[in-house]
């Protein structure tokens, strides 16, 4: 699966991105069934919050991989009413994580995100309504990036219902 992620992310291969979007769709279908099965929630709204790549990476590639992935995901799921909130932004420059170990990744990502103020009303309305909120990432390895994004949302009182990822490493358990 790593070669598919790299093909989409670094080489902008559309066929690879379609596979990742399919996996995101399968993730959403699975979590939706679980929510209904567990009678936790049958949301009237679904909000997806993409986790942005480093700006330097997007500049180097010439495109935003996560935005292209979300667009492909939306095309694949046109029948669903999905709200995309590009509300996360980096608080500072973060290091490329590909060579970092678990502890280094956690330190690198701690406090790495904030919510843009223009999105506060949408986040607050999601808190008080029957809304499911999911973070979206292409690849989850240690969970450090997901935890940092979740922390930014928690500071506003938002509850993240889960993470939709195209793939996760074997060691990812939370």
């Amino acid at each position: 699966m790593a070669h598919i992620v790299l093909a989409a992310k670094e080489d902008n291969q559309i066929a690879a991105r379609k596979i990742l979007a399919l996996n995101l769709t399968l993730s959403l279908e699975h979590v939706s069934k679980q929510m209904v099965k567990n009678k936790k929630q049958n949301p009237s709204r679904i909000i997806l919050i993409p986790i942005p790549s480093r700006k330097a990476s997007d500049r180097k590639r010439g495109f935003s991989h996560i935005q292209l992935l979300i667009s492909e995901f939306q095309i694949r799921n046109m029948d669903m009413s999905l709200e995309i909130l590009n509300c996360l932004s980096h608080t500072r420059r973060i290091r490329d994580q590909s060579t970092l170990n678990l502890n280094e990744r956690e330190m690198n990502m701690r406090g790495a995100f904030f919510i843009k103020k223009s999105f506060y009303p949408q986040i607050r309305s999601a808190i008080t309504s029957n809304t499911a909120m999911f973070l979206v990432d292409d690849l989850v390895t240690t969970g450090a990036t997901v935890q940092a994004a979740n922390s930014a949302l928690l500071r506003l009182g938002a509850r993240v219902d889960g993470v939709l990822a195209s793939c996760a490493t074997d060691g990812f358990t939370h």
Side-chain angles (χ1 to χ4, degrees), residues 121-134:
Q122 289 164 288
I123 298 292
R124 289 197 175 112
S125 76
I127 294 168
T128 60
S129 66
N130 186 22
T131 301
M133 193 178 306
F134 298 98

Side-chain angles (χ1 to χ4, degrees), residues 1-170:
M1 194 66 179
H3 65 283
I4 295 171
V5 172
L6 287 174
K9 199 172 201 170
E10 302 302 334
D11 299 330
N12 201 17
Q13 290 186 12
I14 295 168
R17 190 166 293 110
K18 287 179 186 275
I19 293 169
L20 298 180
L22 170 62
N23 284 355
L24 285 178
T25 298
L26 295 172
S27 293
L28 181 58
E29 288 172 359
H30 175 75
V31 76
S32 296
K33 286 177 187 172
Q34 289 299 110
M35 290 174 94
V36 171
K37 180 181 171 185
N38 296 335
K39 295 184 169 100
K40 277 186 155 180
Q41 188 178 13
N42 190 6
S44 56
R45 275 171 74 196
I46 298 176
I47 293 178
L48 304 179
I49 301 175
I51 298 177
S53 296
R54 296 178 315 123
K55 288 181 178 160
S57 295
D58 287 349
R59 276 193 304 274
K60 182 178 175 185
R61 291 182 192 118
F63 60 92
S64 170
H65 165 66
I66 194 68
Q67 291 306 316
L68 293 176
L69 179 57
I70 287 291
S71 294
E72 186 63 41
F73 178 74
Q74 285 181 292
I75 290 167
R76 195 173 230 345
N77 295 282
M78 290 172 116
D79 58 326
M80 297 184 78
S81 179
L82 302 171
E83 284 181 60
I84 311 301
L85 294 186
N86 291 302
C87 62
L88 289 171
S89 209
H90 292 101
T91 58
R92 58 182 159 71
R93 187 172 176 268
I94 56 173
R95 292 172 45 202
D96 177 9
Q97 302 211 115
S98 60
T99 61
L100 303 180
N101 67 34
L102 174 67
N103 293 331
E104 291 169 331
R105 285 175 185 231
E106 287 177 3
M107 292 300 296
N108 188 42
M109 295 310 299
R110 188 170 291 142
F113 295 108
F114 72 96
I115 306 299
K116 299 174 201 165
K117 287 187 181 189
S118 60
F119 287 94
Y120 282 17
Q122 289 164 288
I123 298 292
R124 289 197 175 112
S125 76
I127 294 168
T128 60
S129 66
N130 186 22
T131 301
M133 193 178 306
F134 298 98
L135 292 168
V136 181
D137 208 354
D138 61 341
L139 171 66
V140 177
T141 50
T142 65
T145 303
V146 168
Q147 288 173 345
N150 186 48
S151 292
L153 288 157
L154 284 172
R155 284 192 291 276
L156 287 181
R159 180 198 76 247
V160 173
D161 293 288
V163 178
L164 303 181
S166 296
C167 61
T169 59
D170 289 337

